[in-house]
Amino acid sequence: MSRRSVLALGALLSGSGGTAIAYPKRQVMVVVPYAAGGTADIVARLLCEELQKRLAVTFVVENKAGASGTLGCATVAKAVPDGATLLYTAGGPLTIGPHLMKTVPYAVARDFTPLALICQVPSFLVVNANDSAKTLRDLVAHGRSKPNALRFASPGIGTSVHMIGELFRLQAGFEAVHVPYRGGAPAMNDLLSGQVDYMFENVPQLLPQVQAGTLRALAVTSPARMASAPDVPTLTEAGVPGVEVGTWYGLLGPAALPDAIRAELTDAATEIRRNPAFAGRIGEQGAQGDLRSGTEFEAFIREDDRRWRDTIESANIRAE
C-alpha cells in the first residue's frame, strides 16, 4: 500500500471518531415511550437533530406510549443491537416501574446499554396561593401536628413526582394522604380549587401559575436555586435535605451494543451536551444539563433504582 493510501485510510478512520466506519448507514429510530409533545419528546427531537449532524445518519423519533412507558422500553430491549434502534426515556420505566408492577418485559441491567444522561427537570413543591402555609416549615409543621390531615396530589401512582412526594414526606417526618390523578392538569386544577393541599410537579408545568401568583412555590428539588425563580429556596435550604432529585432523561441502546457504536454515540452525546446552544434550547423546556455517560450513567441508574426501591418499600406503595 502506498504512503498516500495509508494516510487516506488513517484520515477515514480518525475523522469524526471513526463514524464513517462504525455507524450503520441507515435510518436510526429513537423510541420515546410517551406521547408526542411532552418534555421527553421535545428534547429527544432536539437531540436527534444534533446526532444527525455529527454522525451523518438520519435519526427519527418514534413515540410508543403505553403501560407507563414500559411498552416503548420493551421495544428497544428486544431490538437487534446494531445501533439502528435506541431509547430516549425518563427514569420512571427503568427505576420505578419495575418495583411497582408485577412484571415488566425487561431487566434493566441485562437488557440495555446506558449511553448518556442528557438532562434533569427539577420540580416545584407548590400550594394554593391562599393556603396558610407561607413557607415549607409551615407545611411540615402542619403535617407533623396532624398526621394524614394533608392531602398531596400527583399525576398518577408511580410517576416520578409521586415518588418525590413520598420521599419528601418520609424525609420531613410526617404522614400524608396521596391523591393520584390521571395527569398533571387535573391534579393542578384540584390544587387551585382547594381540593388537595400540595403537590410536586415539573417546573415547566408549574412556572406560569407560580409567576401569575395563583400557586405558591415553597421549594424546588434542584441542588441550587433556579434563575427563573430565584426567590424559591431549595428543599435543603428550606429545611428538608435528601430530596435533591428531578425527573431525568437519558439515551440508551439495547444490550450488547458494539463497542464502536457505543463509543460513537457516547462521544457525540457528550459533545452535544457541552454545546451552549443545545443547553440553551433544552433550558427553554425547563431542563438542566447533567452529563453522565457510560459507566457513570450506569452507576447513576443503579443509585436511582436503589432510591426508589427503598422509598416504595418505606412508604408501602402499591400500584393500582
Side-chain angles (χ1 to χ4, degrees), residues 4-193:
R4 179 178 297 177
S5 297
V6 170
L7 292 174
L9 179 58
L12 180 61
L13 290 171
S14 61
S16 302
T19 296
I21 297 296
Y23 215 83
K25 287 299 181 182
R26 61 181 183 279
Q27 180 172 287
V28 176
M29 178 176 69
V30 178
V31 175
V32 173
Y34 312 102
T39 301
D41 176 68
I42 293 170
V43 176
R45 293 177 189 276
L46 295 175
L47 180 63
C48 283
E49 288 180 17
E50 298 301 322
L51 286 171
Q52 187 163 305
K53 293 176 186 176
R54 285 163 175 77
L55 298 177
V57 177
T58 301
F59 284 76
V60 296
V61 168
E62 180 163 336
N63 301 94
K64 282 186 174 290
S68 300
T70 60
L71 180 63
C73 292
T75 297
V76 177
K78 298 172 184 176
V80 176
D82 59 0
T85 306
L86 303 174
L87 174 68
Y88 186 81
T89 184
L94 303 181
T95 61
I96 297 174
H99 301 295
L100 283 175
M101 304 174 74
K102 290 183 178 179
T103 60
V104 292
Y106 48 78
V108 176
R110 181 194 67 203
D111 294 331
F112 295 99
T113 299
L115 296 168
L117 175 66
I118 301 299
C119 62
Q120 295 200 53
V121 177
S123 294
F124 279 143
L125 166 54
V126 293
V127 297
N128 189 298
N130 298 318
D131 196 275
S132 60
K134 305 301 182 185
T135 67
L136 187 68
R137 294 184 187 278
D138 294 338
L139 184 70
V140 171
H142 186 182
R144 289 175 178 172
S145 65
K146 296 181 179 179
N148 287 316
L150 292 176
R151 294 159 56 86
F152 77 96
S154 85
I157 294 174
T159 56
S160 60
V161 287
H162 168 214
M163 292 295 103
I164 292 171
E166 298 285 5
L167 179 60
F168 161 71
R169 69 168 189 79
L170 289 171
Q171 294 294 105
F174 67 88
E175 297 293 330
V177 177
H178 173 228
V179 183
Y181 290 81
R182 293 188 176 181
M188 183 168 64
N189 288 339
D190 270 11
L191 181 63
L192 289 168
S193 65

